[in-house]
Amino acid sequence: MKLFKLFSNRISLYRLFLFLASLCLLVFLVLNRKKINYIVFPFVIGLLISYILNPLVVFITKKGIERPIAVILIYFILIGSVIIGLVYIIPVILIEVNVLIDTIPLYTRKAQTLFNEFRNEYRTSLPQGFKEVLDTNIEHIESFLLKQLQNTTNITIGLFSNLSSFILGPVIGFYILKDIDKIKNTAKYLKEPYKEKIIWLLKTIDATLGRYIRSQLIICVIVTFLTTVALYIIGVDFAILIGIVAGVANIIPYF
C-alpha cells in the first residue's frame, strides 16, 4: 500500500525517472567512453583555440573590422606562422631527432657501463642488507623506466591516431570564434530567477579560464625559448628538443 502511494505521487515518479535516466546515461558513457573521447576531443581543442584567440579577435573588432573578417585574418596569420615553422624550425628538430636516435645506443652503453661499475663497487663495500635493498630498488627503477618509455611510445602513437581531431579542432574553433556572440545570446532563453546568476557565473568562468589558459601557454613559450637559448649558449646537444620538452612539461602539472 505504501509502495502504491509512493508511485502514485508525481514528484516521486519524476525523481525516480531522473534517477533511472541518469543511471542509464552514466552506464552508457562508461561503456562508450573511448568513442565519446574521439567525438569530444575536437570540441575541446576548438574551445581552447577560441579561449586563446578571442581577445585578439575582440581587439581587432574594436578597430572597426567585422568579427568574421577578424577571425579569418588571425587564422591566416597563424597558418602563415605554422608554415614558417614547418619550413625553418621543423627541419632543425628532425635533424636533432635523427642525431638523438643515432646516439641513443651510445648513451645506453655508457649508462650500462656506469651502472655495472656502480653495482660491482657497492657489492664489495656494503653490508649484505644494504645490497639487498639496493638491488630491489634498482629493479624497481629499471621497471619504472621501461614502463615510462612504453607509456611515452603509446602517447606518441595516440597523438598520431588523433590527427583528425587536431584538424577538426581548429575548424570548430573558427566557427566558435565567428559565432560566439550568437552563442552568448542563447542565455536569454534561461528562466528567472536563475538567469542573472547563471550569466554572471558563465562570464566569470569564461574570463578566469581564458586568462589562465593564455597565461600558461605564454609561460610555456617563454620557458621553451629561454631554455633553448641557454642550452645553445653553454653548448648542450639537442637544445631545441630539450627546450620544447621543458616548455611542455612546465604546464603539465598546472593542467
Side-chain angles (χ1 to χ4, degrees), residues 159-225:
L159 289 176
F160 283 104
S161 63
N162 290 325
L163 187 61
S164 59
S165 298
F166 289 102
I167 296 174
L168 288 174
V171 176
I172 295 173
F174 174 85
Y175 285 103
I176 292 175
L177 285 171
K178 184 176 72 70
D179 299 326
I180 194 168
D181 293 331
K182 296 180 182 179
I183 295 173
K184 290 180 178 180
N185 287 335
T186 57
K188 65 183 180 182
Y189 298 106
L190 297 173
K191 296 182 179 181
E192 300 289 353
Y194 306 107
K195 180 178 179 180
E196 293 184 0
K197 293 182 179 179
I198 293 175
I199 292 175
W200 173 83
L201 180 62
L202 291 175
K203 287 183 178 179
T204 304
I205 293 173
D206 177 64
T208 305
L209 185 61
R211 287 195 298 265
Y212 180 77
I213 293 174
R214 286 188 292 272
S215 63
Q216 292 302 324
L217 291 175
I218 291 172
I219 292 172
C220 173
V221 173
I222 293 173
V223 170
T224 300
F225 176 76

Side-chain angles (χ1 to χ4, degrees), residues 12-55:
S12 299
L13 285 173
Y14 177 70
R15 290 176 179 175
L16 179 63
F17 172 76
L18 286 180
F19 173 76
L20 293 176
S22 301
L23 184 62
C24 293
L25 179 61
L26 180 62
V27 172
F28 174 79
L29 293 176
V30 172
L31 294 177
N32 298 276
R33 57 186 181 275
K34 292 184 178 180
K35 296 179 180 179
I36 293 173
N37 286 337
Y38 285 117
I39 298 173
V40 173
F41 190 59
F43 290 93
V44 173
I45 295 176
L47 287 173
L48 287 174
I49 292 173
S50 63
Y51 268 121
I52 295 168
L53 299 182
N54 189 55

Side-chain angles (χ1 to χ4, degrees), residues 116-126:
N116 292 330
E117 290 178 354
F118 170 73
R119 173 174 286 183
N120 293 332
E121 183 176 353
Y122 82 72
R123 278 184 177 278
T124 58
S125 59
L126 292 178

Side-chain angles (χ1 to χ4, degrees), residues 53-65 67 70 74:
L53 299 182
N54 189 55
L56 294 175
V57 176
V58 173
F59 175 78
I60 295 175
T61 53
K62 289 181 179 179
K63 304 297 182 181
I65 300 176
R67 189 175 186 90
I74 291 175

